[in-house]
Amino acid sequence: MLRSSHLKYCYGILISLFIFCDTASGDLIKVDKNILEDANLITPDLIKKYGYPAETHKIQAKDGFVLTAHRIPKPGGQPVLLVHGLLDSSVAYVILGPERSLGFLLSDLGYDVWLLNTRGNRYSRKHKRYHRYQPQFWDFSFHELGMYDLPAAIDYILARSKGYERIHYVGHSQGTTSFFVMGSEKPAYMKKIKLMQALAPVVFWDYIDSPIILTFVKYLRPLVFIANSFGIYEFPPENEVWRSLIQKICSFVFQNTCTYFLMEVMGVDYAQFNSSLLPLFTGHASSGSSVKSLEHFGQQIHSGGFFKYNYYSSWENRRNHGADTPPQYKLTNVDCKVALYYSKNDRLTSDKDVVRLRDILPNVVLDYLFPDPLYNHINFIWGNDVKTVLNDRIIELMRKVDNGEV
């Protein structure tokens, strides 16, 4: 088994050679200094840069993980919890600055804003028993996020929100998946949710048609086996090294190539993507998760349902699930108010799959399919017009719920 230091060395040599070969005959791209500054600030420092107060809170989950939540405090304000997607972090809801990002907009309106970092990302890499170089540390998927991370965060927030018994919740991508796990398995927590707003909800994956994702899933098990054989349980491995390298590659050398790849994964929509901000996005993106998380998502593709993790043997499934095959999550238990926002050009969640989810959930108060046929998965966070086409709509629905109009 290769040690992580050896892996880091190998990756460094390969990427250095790759960069050298392609930059020998090309000029480096110039990037605005303010964008580079924002790309290298951690979330609380980015919040403070724009004149807002920022706090860092440590939340212990019941299984030993220590989570980091960033807060834009508003004492006495209605608490709202914003949860990022896979490989993302708390920066998702502040990355575009005060004029467009949801976290800042909600703070301006008097909401007490909490930005959670789920286990395994760059801000939440501590455990009471395990170190990040132990396989046990990475033995989680979106299931554990729903079973442990979200309940711990909700209880922590409510304990510090005098006069409030419920929170608003907004999740993007995996931030919706984990919520539906929590609602299915811990339905009592639905009484603590005033409104859940799901941005690009990922639950069913029967109509996904991304060539990249489908190719990955075809070789899912052997790829996971090979990764684990080399001691790789984190994705991407040695995440901080990869994140820095990817930012430099995509910022100064291969902006067009990186943009093309991103569009192929998320859905092609160049009109909503500001390529000049690519250094900012890559500076914060790929914040890390587990290989098991990718595997669990992969298992859902064309599975016909929303299933718990499928172990490698029926014996393991019986030990963990009480049956030879993993059971489905009970989505009918998610009885809080839910708003769904989705699009036709999202290559990570099909509008047909979201419609299926809508028909199962018992209390959908808004079903919003974007009229823009090109709106994609990442536009919900990075889109040029995200304030006017999405965030203003989110805020208006929160206002109506707060006022008892919905």
Side-chain angles (χ1 to χ4, degrees):
M1 182 179 293
L2 291 176
R3 294 184 179 180
S4 61
S5 59
H6 295 159
L7 289 171
K8 185 188 300 184
Y9 179 71
C10 293
Y11 296 145
I13 291 176
L14 290 173
I15 293 175
S16 297
L17 288 172
F18 181 62
I19 295 173
F20 174 78
C21 292
D22 278 272
T23 57
S25 60
D27 294 328
L28 294 180
I29 297 169
K30 294 182 179 180
V31 179
D32 183 272
K33 290 183 179 180
N34 189 56
I35 293 175
L36 285 179
E37 180 185 24
D38 286 4
N40 290 289
L41 291 175
I42 60 174
T43 301
D45 288 346
L46 184 62
I47 294 170
K48 291 175 183 177
K49 174 184 174 179
Y50 289 102
Y52 291 75
E55 297 177 356
T56 297
H57 293 256
K58 298 297 182 180
I59 303 172
Q60 184 170 335
K62 285 189 176 181
D63 65 344
F65 257 96
V66 180
L67 313 172
T68 298
H70 296 129
R71 181 188 187 188
I72 308 177
K74 195 72 68 171
Q78 164 70 54
V80 54
L81 174 61
L82 309 181
V83 182
H84 60 82
L86 181 68
L87 302 178
D88 207 345
S89 73
S90 56
V91 80
Y93 297 99
V94 295
I95 195 168
L96 293 180
E99 294 183 357
R100 288 186 290 170
S101 283
L102 184 60
F104 289 125
L105 296 174
L106 290 171
S107 179
D108 289 342
L109 293 173
Y111 286 95
D112 189 16
V113 179
W114 294 79
L115 310 165
L116 181 64
N117 291 283
T118 56
R119 63 184 60 199
N121 87 354
R122 63 183 296 200
Y123 298 108
S124 293
R125 296 195 165 193
K126 289 188 178 181
H127 195 286
K128 290 295 184 181
R129 296 185 298 278
Y130 305 122
H131 188 273
R132 60 180 292 249
Y133 289 111
Q134 293 179 280
Q136 297 94 327
F137 183 94
W138 300 103
D139 187 18
F140 67 83
S141 72
F142 59 76
H143 177 80
E144 283 71 24
L145 271 61
M147 293 296 292
Y148 301 110
D149 292 15
L150 299 189
I154 291 169
D155 288 341
Y156 184 94
I157 292 169
L158 288 176
R160 288 153 183 80
S161 303
K162 186 176 181 179
Y164 292 97
E165 297 180 351
R166 295 183 297 166
I167 67 167
H168 277 286
Y169 183 101
V170 180
H172 173 242
S173 193
Q174 181 184 251
T176 70
T177 316
S178 54
F179 182 91
F180 290 125
V181 168
M182 178 181 71
S184 299
E185 301 297 300
K186 295 177 175 286
Y189 274 88
M190 297 300 93
K191 298 186 186 314
K192 300 180 181 183
I193 305 298
K194 180 176 281 190
L195 169 67
M196 186 279 192
Q197 302 202 64
L199 316 182
V202 176
V203 173
F204 300 116
W205 267 11
D206 288 333
Y207 289 95
I208 190 171
D209 61 0
S210 167
I212 294 175
I213 301 299
L214 293 178
T215 301
F216 165 74
V217 170
K218 184 178 180 180
Y219 302 102
L220 179 63
R221 287 243 156 149
L223 286 172
V224 171
F225 177 79
I226 292 171
N228 292 167
S229 297
F230 280 92
I232 299 173
Y233 298 91
E234 170 190 8
F235 184 85
E238 299 297 344
N239 177 64
E240 291 301 314
V241 176
W242 274 106
R243 189 173 55 79
S244 177
L245 286 169
I246 289 171
Q247 191 217 5
K248 288 177 173 60
I249 291 171
C250 292
S251 298
F252 304 110
V253 188
F254 301 118
Q255 276 198 7
N256 291 338
T257 302
C258 292
T259 300
Y260 173 80
F261 180 78
L262 184 67
M263 294 291 107
E264 286 299 312
V265 173
M266 303 292 178
V268 179
D269 185 6
Y270 289 99
Q272 283 291 330
F273 186 77
N274 185 349
S275 60
S276 69
L277 295 180
L278 190 62
L280 171 64
F281 299 148
T282 55
H284 291 284
S286 190
S287 288
S289 187
S290 66
V291 170
K292 186 176 180 180
S293 292
L294 298 179
E295 184 183 17
H296 195 182
F297 273 117
Q299 290 176 358
Q300 307 305 313
I301 295 179
H302 298 168
S303 67
F306 183 36
F307 292 94
K308 296 183 180 180
Y309 182 79
N310 188 14
Y311 290 89
Y312 281 56
S313 68
S314 57
W315 177 84
E316 287 181 285
N317 278 328
R318 285 195 298 271
R319 182 167 64 90
N320 288 278
H321 305 311
D324 289 346
T325 57
Q328 291 205 53
Y329 292 103
K330 299 176 182 178
L331 291 167
T332 53
N333 287 343
V334 185
D335 59 1
C336 67
K337 293 176 181 177
V338 175
L340 302 173
Y341 303 85
Y342 55 106
S343 58
K344 283 186 173 292
N345 190 39
D346 188 337
R347 288 190 173 174
L348 293 182
T349 181
S350 166
D351 58 307
K352 294 179 181 178
D353 287 324
V354 178
V355 168
R356 178 183 174 188
L357 172 65
R358 177 201 67 193
D359 293 341
I360 293 173
L361 295 174
N363 197 5
V364 174
V365 297
L366 177 66
D367 170 34
Y368 186 73
L369 174 64
F370 275 82
D372 181 353
L374 295 181
Y375 213 76
N376 69 18
H377 193 77
I378 202 60
N379 287 344
F380 291 84
I381 301 296
W382 293 351
N384 288 332
D385 298 332
V386 68
K387 178 186 183 297
T388 55
V389 303
L390 176 62
N391 289 343
D392 286 349
R393 192 176 298 272
I394 290 172
I395 291 169
E396 176 62 16
L397 184 58
M398 291 173 67
R399 184 193 66 78
K400 289 181 177 179
V401 170
D402 289 339
N403 292 337
E405 299 173 25
V406 174

